[in-house]
């Protein structure tokens, strides 16, 4: 039965689809932050994880890095490296939310908009980012299984 399941699941197509989703999410997430770096810098400051000297460089660099990773995943260029870095980046975001949750700091996530506004409950952000983190991990596993299926 195990062999039948391996042949029925289109692992290569699933890996591609998940990479497209992660790539689109990263491209979409970068857009507003690139257009409004000062607002994004305020969100980065709210996380209280970086010294003030690093806030502006991170607020400028990070959205462009997200965009680059998204384009790489979407285009397939440096696919494995981009998938690894996207996983690491999403894990860092998720951990930053968890750290602030346990510190009692309710931050506006800043994931998809840099517009200041009322923050959703931190558990919502943590759960959503856990799902986002699962996507590149699943893409990685689907890609591994697709390679294993190849003759």
């Amino acid at each position: 039965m195990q062999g039948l399941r391996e042949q029925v699941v289109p692992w290569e197509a699933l890996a591609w689809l998940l990479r497209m989703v992660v790539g689109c999410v990263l491209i979409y997430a970068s857009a507003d932050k690139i257009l409004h770096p000062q607002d994004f810098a305020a969100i980065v400051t709210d996380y209280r994880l970086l010294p003030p000297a690093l806030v502006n460089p991170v607020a400028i660099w990070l959205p462009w890095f997200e965009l680059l990773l998204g384009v790489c995943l979407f285009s397939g260029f440096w696919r494995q490296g981009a998938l690894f870095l996207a996983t690491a980046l999403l894990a860092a975001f998720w951990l930053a939310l968890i750290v602030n949750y346990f510190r009692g700091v309710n931050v506006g996530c800043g994931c998809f908009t840099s517009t200041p506004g009322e923050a959703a409950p931190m558990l919502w952000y943590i759960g959503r980012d856990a799902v986002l983190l699962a996507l590149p991990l699943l893409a990685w596993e689907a890609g591994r299984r697709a390679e294993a299926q190849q003759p």
Side-chain angles (χ1 to χ4, degrees), residues 9 29 38 66 75-76 81 88 97-98 104 106 110 114 119 123 130 141 149:
V9 177
Q38 287 179 309
E66 287 177 327
S75 69
L97 288 169
I98 291 171
N106 191 16
S114 58
L123 289 177
E141 178 61 17
Q149 272 185 345

Side-chain angles (χ1 to χ4, degrees), residues 38-57:
Q38 287 179 309
D39 293 336
F40 184 56
I43 291 170
V44 172
T45 300
D46 288 345
Y47 274 87
R48 302 178 200 168
L49 295 174
L50 296 175
L54 291 180
V55 168
N56 285 337

Side-chain angles (χ1 to χ4, degrees), residues 23-105:
C24 288
V25 165
L26 289 171
I27 291 168
Y28 178 74
S30 70
D32 191 58
K33 294 180 252 184
I34 288 171
L35 294 174
H36 304 103
Q38 287 179 309
D39 293 336
F40 184 56
I43 291 170
V44 172
T45 300
D46 288 345
Y47 274 87
R48 302 178 200 168
L49 295 174
L50 296 175
L54 291 180
V55 168
N56 285 337
V58 167
I60 291 170
W61 170 83
L62 186 60
W64 288 100
F65 185 60
E66 287 177 327
L67 178 64
L68 176 65
L69 289 177
V71 168
C72 286
L73 289 171
F74 199 74
S75 69
F77 188 67
W78 288 336
R79 181 176 63 218
Q80 295 293 29
L83 195 56
F84 173 78
L85 290 173
T87 303
L89 188 63
L90 290 167
F93 294 158
W94 186 59
L95 289 173
L97 288 169
I98 291 171
V99 165
N100 276 304
Y101 175 76
F102 283 108
R103 288 173 34 195
V105 178

